[in-house]
Amino acid sequence: MISMSNGLRNCLTLAFLASFSTLTFAVEFDLREGVTDMSQRIQDLHHLSLAVCVVVGIVVFGAMFYSIVAHRRSRHPKPADFHESLLVEIVWTTVPILILVGMAIPATTTLLEIEDNSDPDLTILITASQWKWHYQYLEADIGFYSNMTTPTAQINNLEPKGENYLLEVDNPLVLPTNKKVRFLTTSNDVIHSWWVPDFAVKQDAIPGFINEAWARLDQPGLFRGQCAELCGKDHAYMPVVVEVRLEAEFDKWIDDQRLAKELSSGQAVADRNKTWTMAELMPIGEQVFLTHCATCHESTGVGQGVTYPALAGGEIPNGPLEVHIDLVMNGKGGTEMQSWAPQLSDRELAAVITYERNAWGNSTNDVVQPKTIYATR
Amino acid sequence: MVAQAEDVIPQRSPLMAFMARWLLTTNHKEIGTLYLWLSFTLFFIGGAMAMVIRLELFQPGIQFAEPLFYNQMVTMHGLIMVFGVVMPGFVGLANWQIPLMIGAPDMAMPRLNNFSFWILPFAFTLLLSSLFMEGGAPNFGWTFYAPLSTTYGPPSTDFFIIGVHMMGISSVLGAINVIVTIFNLRTPGMTLMKMPLFVWTWLITAFLLIMVMPVLAGVVTMMLTDRHFDTSFFSAAGGGDPLMFQHVFWFFGHPEVYILILPGFGIASQIIPTFARKRLFGYHSMVFASAAIAFLSFIVWGHHMFTAGMPVWVELSFMYATMLIAVPTGVKVFNWVATMWRGSMTFETPMLFALGFVILFTIGGFSGLMLALVPADFQYHDTFFVVAHFHYVLYPGAIFGTMAAVYYWIPKWTGNMYDERLGKIHFWTAVIAVNLTFFPMHFTGLAGMPRRIVDYSLQFADFNMVSSVGAALLGMTQVLFLYIVIKTIRGGAKASTRVWEGADGLEWTVPSPAPHHTFETPPAFPPIMDENESTSLNE
């Protein structure tokens, strides 16, 4: 009994292993399924056309091989002499047309959806050049280059090759989940082609022209692709890496990028190096206050009841400076008082805090310097 | 043959006589031989470049070819194989066979024929010399997309342009000659609809050549002026359009791929009936299908550009037209199978190559149908799936077709039978090697490996290694083929007049080897085939 159950278990294990290996076999030999709705539908289309080809192939090659075996001279010494049949010709012209129509319908509907580039939530301008990609987030006004990071030593076989050999970059394109992301592609020099197999997006980047494509991504992850159009010497060394993040994480990432850009700009550096007077900061602060703060706190600083506290004579603008700076920069959790640090520059923050501490009868005489803000970030 | 040539040019040293004979010959058989040897020579050169490519792709990393040199190999391999091997090979077969098959004494314009051929060695010398120039040979792929080939092309691009012009002139002149010969020199009684299929497919091919080679000449001329005379046909900065290059190129390029396959269809249609001992099934539909393929080839060029950014209705039009090509192509395959059906087949080497052609070409046709579907093409385009597709069409199509033709007609050309045992070994190793080389490329392509890359990520390593092993074997089979051809030229069992038991057609009524001059008076048609006289190798 024991040996039998062992045998059964071995059989089951073998069957499991066999099915598993056929599964991996199938995956390795198949078009990638990808992670978008469109990539999956394209895979379905691939399977459909492959199945049609296999069935037609079995019929045609089957007839051929049968004939090769059965109608060889040793078995079939006297050839028949038929050589024409209009009916047969009509049949094997019409039947393929019907099969083709059956393939064209799903191909057409899928294509119409793929080519519907309307209503994007987010637009990325992808500019190719020999041999790197530049990604510009049009809405957020940030952009950066993406270069391959695989070391030359690995390419020249001096070091063992890494897991993502040739498919790794310094700055991946970061995208959010659940948004319709539109890709605009263009080039600065020759024609390239931006391709991420898992998104089923392959779009040529042509100098002087802009092409478009889109993707909607359901799940976070890292996705890798390559330039698909011969673009010169280092065509093989132009990988595409896309990092998909959850929406909230993506928003934070955008803020971080914008801030990093802000902090590194020449204006920001000049602002930090200068010592500002109250007369210089007050008008700037008033402007910032009217734009960003007055909707809640009112232009006269009187606030709106307990929800939006009064600033004129208020506790915070007349209290310790550090507390005030902290509140403006980082906001107050659970309220509509946002974190302003990612949205305003050092100069703007310094000016608006200075303004709040010295307007509407507040008279702390505190002058907040941009470099103080920078240090607090 | 030498004796007759000496009649023409007496009193010269043997070397001078030899030179003069081949340089000045206006005989269609000799010119056919010249074309075939040029094609065979370039086949080894283009093949050696393929070996470099496969050697570099044997493993990930850079081992043998630096990226720029690799790109030159990719480019030259394509150019040599398309313009230097397949086209001259087919023209060689046309030169030998068309006059013999229609009962003509020679091509209609023998001197033009000589000129058409002798342009080619110079054109290819020019093209190949670019490998030794500063900046290297053209490195932008055989499709030479602008602006990679214009603004960014190496200095040798101009040699490439002039070389392409010369090949184009040669092809157009050759095509004119074929058309004039077929229209004017058929033996009385051979109406158009009684011509052998090889002649029909070549007639259609010749029209394609005349229509598209000038377009190719146009596109390289526009390149030349963009490069040197400040025009901006293909540069957006000057009001031009890089996409226009692709439209013009593929308007040439797609009919071109049918130029590379139609004569192969004709060859299969000659060989299969012979060895099935049964008339070709559906002669009329074969002719109409060839013409339909030729017509459709002019309205499908956009399927090479689905990712280049075309309006959706344009993509759909090109997709439908492309899918439609499957219909006449299918008709051809079905007719071949019906020809075999209830025949009485033997499987000498020409038949084996013809059957290999039908089966493997059909596999290439299947992947072509898959590529026609625009959404799927977004994934397949510019990957190794495409490389697998067109090598399945071109190797078993054009190359197997030419080899089948050589085995089929070489007894007529040389008077000697080839070594059947070696021929069969050649066929089976070639079939194994072709599939070993090109089938795995489907999988690397589906997995996401772009074409024309010198180095690849680790996931593609296994299949690339298999492809490279197959390519090495495939390279070796060519040496065997060369050996078989030389051995046949030097001797072997004497071939009879009819050569093959089931052979039918005028070329099988002249002695083997075909005398220097044949059909000085038009033969009777239909020919009376000698029922008793044949050399069967399978007895």
Side-chain angles (χ1 to χ4, degrees), chain B residues 85-315:
Chain B
V85 176
V86 178
M87 291 170 75
F90 281 154
V91 178
L93 294 173
N95 255 290
W96 254 104
Q97 290 309 128
I98 288 176
L100 283 179
M101 294 170 95
I102 64 171
D106 203 312
M107 297 294 280
M109 296 178 278
R111 280 180 215 288
L112 190 71
N113 204 10
N114 173 291
F115 181 59
S116 310
F117 171 76
W118 279 110
I119 293 175
L120 288 181
F122 296 95
F124 286 100
T125 307
L126 211 58
L127 186 65
L128 287 170
S129 68
S130 64
L131 279 165
F132 307 100
M133 288 172 192
E134 206 176 314
N139 53 26
F140 30 66
W142 86 274
T143 51
F144 53 101
Y145 277 12
L148 190 61
S149 62
T150 51
T151 321
Y152 296 82
S156 64
T157 306
D158 302 322
F159 285 75
F160 153 82
I161 291 172
I162 304 301
V164 167
H165 268 305
M166 291 166 70
M167 294 164 208
I169 291 168
S170 165
S171 291
V172 170
L173 295 181
I176 291 172
N177 215 344
V178 165
I179 292 172
V180 175
T181 305
I182 293 173
F183 278 157
N184 292 289
L185 299 186
R186 296 194 313 280
T187 195
M190 184 185 274
T191 58
L192 283 176
M193 289 311 283
K194 285 181 180 164
M195 292 194 310
L197 241 288
F198 178 71
V199 180
W200 251 117
T201 52
W202 238 112
L203 180 65
I204 293 165
T205 304
F207 273 102
L208 290 182
L209 280 167
I210 287 186
M211 285 192 268
V212 301
M213 293 313 281
V215 178
L216 175 67
V219 75
V220 293
T221 306
M222 287 151 98
M223 273 175 69
L224 189 73
T225 61
D226 266 13
R227 283 170 60 81
H228 297 293
F229 305 110
D230 291 337
T231 57
S232 300
F233 291 112
F234 307 132
S235 161
D241 184 351
L243 256 198
M244 187 173 72
F245 173 92
Q246 297 181 23
H247 280 292
V248 183
F249 176 82
W250 286 114
F251 187 84
F252 145 79
H254 203 79
E256 168 71 15
V257 306
Y258 289 92
I259 289 167
L260 301 178
I261 191 62
L262 278 173
F265 288 165
I267 291 161
S269 306
Q270 299 298 133
I271 291 175
I272 292 174
T274 296
F275 294 96
R277 294 168 179 76
K278 186 160 158 281
R279 268 178 73 179
L280 181 70
F281 187 86
Y283 174 90
H284 289 82
S285 76
M286 284 302 231
V287 173
F288 296 141
S290 306
I293 290 171
F295 169 74
L296 287 172
S297 76
F298 281 97
I299 54 169
V300 297
W301 78 87
H303 69 219
H304 298 271
M305 303 163 55
F306 283 150
T307 66
M310 290 190 294
V312 66
W313 73 269
V314 178
E315 292 179 331

Side-chain angles (χ1 to χ4, degrees), chain A residues 180 231 247 258 305 372:
Chain A
K180 184 168 181 178
C231 56
E247 253 185 285
R258 203 186 290 164
T372 314

Side-chain angles (χ1 to χ4, degrees), chain B residues 77 142 257 364 367 371 383 385-396 451-452:
Chain B
H77 166 72
W142 86 274
V257 306
S367 54
L371 281 157
T383 69
F385 190 79
V386 177
V387 180
H389 160 69
F390 66 72
H391 280 96
Y392 260 88
V393 178
L394 282 172
Y395 203 102
R451 62 191 283 206
R452 293 167 165 174

